[in-house]
């Protein structure tokens, strides 16, 4: 820490206090002086805002803490040793102090706020609570910059407040190697929560959680159907840990949840196939964004390339392909091409295209 110096007046004042010539009254919160000093420095200062010694003493007075300057210099050094970086810089004849590096930089906090705002699985109420907590990790001036980008109220958000406890329960079950029991619901036309399977509990072995399309999903093994399934966490109710050990370990020994998410478009299931696509060169970025850089893009001619990818073939996958326009085409395998033609016929009949 630089610049923790005091002037001649401070020295004279300190000597008078030490000799008992001047009596310093003790505040009601004297034992909390270091805590309140840290609070003041963290809240009132940052790289663009500093505080002088008289201002520090005035702020401490607000907390009913009295102190002489010499003790504050020592306390600032103590804070610095504790990991709260204190920087002192001369401005004219006065030193100005501010906190240097923090646990989170403002840019990092903005990223976290953006993630919270855009997450549908976090309710509006919880989003605002989390953002307020993040504001407490920066100065009051930086907190205003976070507040200006908060637009939670207009976002589409889940209405299931229990999702945080659901996630915690799932993690606990995974750690304990236990199955979980839960009910699963959907919305009906009356905008009411309607339990699926007439409220019968699902009995699933949880193996992981993934975040896709702004939703949280449980990925687990259904022993009854002997397949891997996924469930929206915000649609799960009354999660309970089972006494039974998890099953399906052999399916998850080398299971890649990220790859599983890439294959299932919008997390809709379907039979997994190795699909060959013929794409315009302009769509290379779209393909890489979806399937990653490890795929092989093989030139077909000067304007197009082919790529083979593993996908769960569903209407959602076909819809994604249709949205890319005439520059995207499935060329194999034949059964998938036939499936796409059937979907085109279904749409033509539905919209009476002649």
């Amino acid at each position: 820490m630089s610049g923790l110096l005091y002037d001649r007046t401070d020295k004279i004042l300190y000597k008078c206090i030490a000799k008992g010539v001047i009596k310093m009254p003790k505040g009601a919160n004297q034992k909390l002086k270091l805590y309140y000093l840290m609070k003041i420095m963290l809240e009132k200062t940052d790289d663009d805002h500093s505080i002088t010694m008289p201002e520090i003493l005035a702020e401490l007075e607000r907390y009913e803490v009295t102190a002489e300057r010499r003790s504050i210099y020592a306390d600032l050094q103590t804070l610095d040793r504790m990991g709260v970086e204190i920087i002192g810089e001369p401005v004219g004849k006065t030193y100005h102090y501010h906190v240097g590096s923090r646990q989170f930089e403002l840019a990092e906090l903005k990223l976290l706020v953006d993630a919270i705002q855009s997450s549908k699985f976090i309710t509006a109420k919880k989003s605002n609570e989390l953002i307020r907590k993040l504001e407490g990790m920066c100065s009051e001036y930086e907190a205003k910059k976070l507040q200006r980008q908060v637009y939670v109220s207009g976002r589409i958000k889940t209405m299931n407040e229990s999702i945080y406890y659901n996630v915690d329960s799932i993690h606990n079950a995974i750690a304990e190697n236990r199955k979980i029991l839960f009910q699963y619901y959907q919305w009906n036309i009356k905008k009411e929560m309607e339990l699926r399977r007439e409220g019968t509990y699902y009995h699933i072995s949880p193996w992981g959680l993934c975040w896709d399309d702004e939703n949280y999903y449980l990925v687990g093994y259904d022993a009854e159907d002997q397949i891997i399934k996924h469930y929206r966490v915000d649609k799960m109710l009354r999660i309970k840990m089972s006494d039974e050990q998890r099953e399906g370990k052999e399916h998850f020994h080398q299971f890649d949840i990220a790859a599983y998410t890439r294959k299932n478009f919008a997390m809709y299931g379907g039979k997994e196939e190795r699909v060959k696509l013929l794409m315009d060169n302009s769509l290379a970025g779209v393909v890489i964004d979806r399937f990653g850089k490890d795929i092989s893009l093989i030139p077909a001619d000067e304007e197009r390339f082919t790529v083979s990818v593993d996908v769960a073939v569903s209407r959602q996958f076909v819809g994604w392909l249709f949205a890319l326009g005439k520059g995207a085409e499935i060329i194999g395998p034949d059964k998938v091409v036939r499936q796409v033609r059937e979907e085109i016929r279904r749409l033509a009949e539905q919209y009476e295209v002649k």
Side-chain angles (χ1 to χ4, degrees), residues 2-18:
S2 62
L4 293 184
L5 305 173
Y6 44 93
D7 56 25
R8 186 167 178 271
T9 303
D10 294 328
K11 291 180 180 179
I12 295 172
L13 179 63
Y14 179 74
K15 287 180 180 178
C16 291
I17 293 170

Side-chain angles (χ1 to χ4, degrees), residues 29-39 60 65 74-76 78-79 82:
N29 293 322
Q30 210 64 26
K31 292 182 179 180
L32 298 175
K33 184 179 70 168
L34 190 62
Y35 166 76
Y36 284 124
L37 178 60
M38 181 174 67
K39 179 178 172 68
L60 284 171
V65 173
D75 289 337
L76 290 174
T78 299
L79 288 179
M82 290 169 57

Side-chain angles (χ1 to χ4, degrees), residues 98-340:
H98 71 274
V99 172
S101 61
R102 294 173 182 259
Q103 187 173 7
F104 288 95
E105 296 178 9
L106 181 60
E108 294 171 329
L109 291 174
K110 286 181 177 180
L111 284 176
L112 292 174
V113 168
D114 287 341
I116 291 169
Q117 289 177 217
S118 62
S119 300
K120 290 196 298 185
F121 73 86
I122 304 178
T123 62
K125 177 184 175 183
K126 192 63 176 179
S127 293
N128 286 314
E129 289 176 1
L130 291 172
I131 290 169
R132 279 196 295 271
K133 290 179 180 179
L134 290 177
E135 289 171 4
M137 303 188 77
C138 59
S139 72
E140 59 186 30
Y141 309 103
E142 292 176 331
K144 293 177 182 178
K145 296 179 182 179
L146 292 182
Q147 292 166 2
R148 277 197 284 271
Q149 63 177 44
V150 174
Y151 303 102
V152 172
S153 59
R155 300 291 180 96
I156 303 299
K157 292 283 190 177
T158 181
M159 287 167 277
N160 184 0
E161 285 285 349
S162 66
I163 184 171
Y164 325 105
Y165 307 106
N166 287 356
V167 170
D168 190 49
S169 296
I170 292 168
H171 279 302
N172 288 337
I174 292 173
E176 295 289 333
N177 196 35
R178 301 287 186 84
K179 291 183 179 180
I180 57 172
L181 295 162
F182 61 89
Q183 292 177 307
Y184 204 54
Y185 78 86
Q186 60 188 4
W187 294 103
N188 63 23
I189 196 170
K190 297 179 182 178
K191 302 180 183 179
E192 298 170 334
M193 290 169 56
E194 186 175 80
L195 292 176
R196 301 185 69 171
R197 302 201 316 193
E198 298 181 348
T200 302
Y201 275 81
Y202 291 68
H203 202 185
I204 301 297
S205 298
W207 286 94
L209 288 159
C210 66
W211 187 2
D212 184 74
D213 193 27
E214 301 181 14
N215 289 308
Y216 232 150
Y217 292 88
L218 161 70
V219 179
Y221 181 72
D222 186 330
E224 185 177 343
D225 292 338
Q226 297 185 347
I227 57 172
I228 295 172
K229 293 184 178 181
H230 56 263
Y231 304 87
R232 281 258 303 263
V233 177
D234 61 305
K235 294 185 179 297
M236 299 166 64
L237 298 172
R238 303 177 184 88
I239 296 180
K240 298 183 293 186
M241 191 184 300
S242 170
D243 292 330
E244 297 182 24
Q245 298 288 302
R246 287 187 301 173
E247 296 181 277
K249 184 177 181 179
E250 63 279 7
H251 295 277
F252 287 87
H253 181 61
Q254 294 182 324
F255 185 76
D256 186 339
I257 287 184
Y260 177 82
T261 303
R262 286 197 302 269
K263 295 172 186 176
N264 289 274
F265 281 70
M267 293 305 283
Y268 279 86
K271 185 177 180 181
E272 188 174 322
E273 300 280 358
R274 183 81 170 171
V275 176
K276 189 174 183 180
L277 306 173
L278 178 63
M279 315 283 280
D280 282 357
N281 289 344
S282 61
L283 296 175
V286 175
V287 175
I288 291 172
D289 286 344
R290 178 70 210 191
F291 299 103
K293 293 180 68 175
D294 292 336
I295 56 174
S296 297
L297 307 183
I298 302 171
D301 53 42
E302 291 184 358
E303 298 180 348
R304 298 178 299 174
F305 65 89
T306 63
V307 60
S308 294
V309 292
D310 295 319
V311 299
V313 179
S314 64
R315 284 180 176 172
Q316 284 66 36
F317 163 65
V318 175
W320 173 80
L321 196 72
F322 286 170
L324 297 178
K326 63 180 183 179
E329 179 184 351
I330 297 175
I331 57 176
D334 290 342
K335 59 182 177 181
V336 176
V337 174
R338 289 195 297 269
Q339 188 172 336
V340 173

